[in-house]
């Protein structure tokens, strides 16, 4: 179903607006992975991995942290742009507010998962 402005304030902000461009979007989630700044405290230099991603055009967000104890719980909240108690598995499986908004903009959503 299409998003509705009464369902969430985010929809109201985006209603009747079109993006200037619609580049490909890749969201990489490294499960159980800490940033280079944390790894460096343990003598591990992961800068080459981060440099590689930046060279490929990825945007890194240093000083970020999970909003929940599990990846599914965190990403469900991120993709729903909400801290509300929702079906987190549905959200990460393609039924989130972000997925719905991107779909209305013509995006196709894909997910690659190693496990459930």
């Amino acid at each position: 179903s299409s998003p509705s402005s009464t369902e969430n304030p985010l929809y109201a902000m985006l209603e009747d607006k079109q993006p200037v461009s619609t580049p490909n979007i890749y969201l990489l989630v490294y499960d159980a992975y800490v940033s280079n700044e944390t790894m460096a405290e343990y003598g591990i230099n992961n800068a080459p991995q981060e440099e590689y991603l930046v060279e490929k055009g990825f945007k890194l967000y240093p000083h970020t942290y999970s909003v929940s104890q599990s990846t599914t719980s965190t990403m469900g909240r991120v993709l729903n742009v909400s801290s509300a108690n929702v079906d987190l598995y549905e959200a990460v499986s393609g039924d989130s507010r972000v997925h719905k908004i991107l779909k209305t903009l013509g995006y196709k959503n894909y997910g690659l998962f190693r496990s459930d």
Side-chain angles (χ1 to χ4, degrees):
S1 65
S2 295
S4 127
S5 60
T6 57
E7 187 179 336
N8 184 277
L10 177 61
Y11 297 144
M13 287 183 351
L14 299 173
E15 198 168 47
D16 299 324
K17 294 184 180 171
Q18 291 296 314
V20 174
S21 66
T22 53
N24 290 336
I25 300 170
Y26 299 92
L27 174 62
L28 304 180
V29 178
Y30 288 58
D31 195 25
Y33 178 84
V34 295
S35 65
N36 189 46
E37 63 200 26
T38 302
M39 293 174 85
E41 293 296 318
Y42 295 95
I44 301 168
N45 180 9
N46 196 42
Q49 167 71 8
E50 292 186 353
E51 290 165 6
Y52 173 81
L53 291 171
V54 169
E55 287 171 9
K56 295 296 181 188
F58 285 87
K59 170 74 175 140
L60 303 183
Y61 296 92
H63 314 295
T64 58
Y65 56 90
S66 296
V67 295
S68 188
Q69 71 279 9
S70 74
T71 301
T72 301
S73 184
T74 294
M75 294 312 300
R77 287 171 173 81
V78 168
L79 293 170
N80 263 316
V81 193
S82 172
S83 62
N85 191 14
V86 296
D87 186 328
L88 302 173
Y89 286 98
E90 284 185 11
V92 297
S93 296
D95 194 31
S96 72
R97 291 179 177 139
V98 169
H99 288 102
K100 290 175 184 176
I101 289 169
L102 291 175
K103 186 175 180 182
T104 65
L105 298 174
Y107 280 93
K108 294 179 182 175
N109 297 298
Y110 299 95
L112 300 174
F113 307 94
R114 289 188 62 189
S115 67
D116 63 355

